[in-house]
Amino acid sequence: MVGIPVIDTGPMTVDEFYAFTDTRPDEEKWELVGGEPILNAAPSLLHQWIVRNVILALGFRERELNAPWAVPPELGVRVSDKDRPEPDVLVIPSDHRKLDPGERDASAVIVAFEVLSPSTEGRDLRWKRAAYTSLPLLTHYIVIAQDAVEVIVFARDEDFAERRIRSLDKAIELRSLRISLPMAEIYRDTGLTA
């Protein structure tokens, strides 16, 4: 007797999520939110340009300072067994360079950056803010607009209160990394002005 198969409709775990995403094309960017896999829309060129600017700025400073932190590309953050967001840029302690080369996510995150997209802005400002700020090592969660010169900084030493920066003449102070990140570098070559 064949019968009706049992379908698991419960939330997906991170391990089940990996089994699922292993069957998907590499260019798709998936996140796990509350046990549900979420496919992110393809980013715009402006979004990717801002991400590139942040990665380059942090990477140069990492090398100049021989910093005790690193900026690995395309790692997710294991927040729980049912939640695995993937920030646009993240900073982790440099001792994580010794991770297994097959590692797909980190839990020791110092700074997480998200560039807002119309399809993800609500999740980035609410759910991801709560998820990232729950991480014990996280000192900053930074949200960057792509349609205007505007950055929101949530810093642990300010109880993760919202602080907005809207001028190319200002900088984000990342005391935990011992650097500042000028707004002009974040928005370099984007055509956006204050």
Side-chain angles (χ1 to χ4, degrees):
M1 179 175 227
V2 174
I4 299 173
V6 175
I7 298 173
D8 182 8
T9 59
M12 190 179 278
T13 66
V14 172
D15 291 334
E16 291 167 334
F17 172 75
Y18 288 145
F20 165 73
T21 57
D22 285 346
T23 67
R24 306 301 310 155
D26 288 343
E27 63 272 8
E28 291 181 357
K29 182 180 175 184
W30 290 86
E31 296 181 290
L32 187 64
V33 177
E36 296 296 323
I38 307 288
L39 175 61
N40 289 318
S44 69
L45 177 60
L46 186 56
H47 177 282
Q48 293 302 83
W49 200 263
I50 292 168
V51 168
R52 175 187 171 275
N53 286 344
V54 172
I55 289 171
L56 285 173
L58 291 171
F60 288 137
R61 285 165 178 82
E62 174 191 344
R63 286 189 174 173
E64 286 172 8
L65 299 170
N66 193 23
W69 45 268
V71 187
E74 299 185 18
L75 269 184
V77 178
R78 189 181 289 240
V79 176
S80 73
D81 194 42
K82 305 268 189 260
D83 296 302
R84 185 202 172 268
E86 189 171 313
D88 290 314
V89 180
L90 71 134
V91 179
I92 63 173
S94 60
D95 61 352
H96 279 67
R97 289 182 188 141
K98 300 172 189 158
L99 288 176
D100 175 340
E103 194 67 38
R104 298 179 183 192
D105 54 42
S107 55
V109 177
I110 303 168
V111 182
F113 293 83
E114 292 287 356
V115 177
L116 284 184
S117 298
S119 63
T120 64
E121 67 185 20
R123 190 168 63 242
D124 291 347
L125 290 170
R126 287 187 290 280
W127 183 84
K128 285 186 181 181
R129 176 183 175 192
Y132 294 140
T133 59
S134 73
L135 299 170
L137 290 183
L138 189 102
T139 62
H140 293 83
Y141 175 45
I142 299 166
V143 180
I144 303 168
Q146 67 171 304
D147 59 352
V149 174
E150 183 173 20
V151 170
I152 304 172
V153 178
F154 301 100
R156 182 173 298 277
D157 61 1
E158 297 172 6
D159 294 323
F160 293 117
E162 178 181 302
R163 186 169 41 87
R164 292 179 184 255
I165 304 171
R166 295 183 174 117
S167 171
L168 290 174
D169 297 332
K170 304 282 185 186
I172 300 168
E173 298 301 324
L174 297 166
R175 289 175 290 284
S176 60
L177 305 181
R178 296 188 174 150
I179 65 167
S180 63
L181 188 58
M183 294 282 285
E185 281 191 63
I186 292 170
Y187 288 102
R188 171 176 275 162
D189 300 326
T190 64
L192 294 170
T193 58

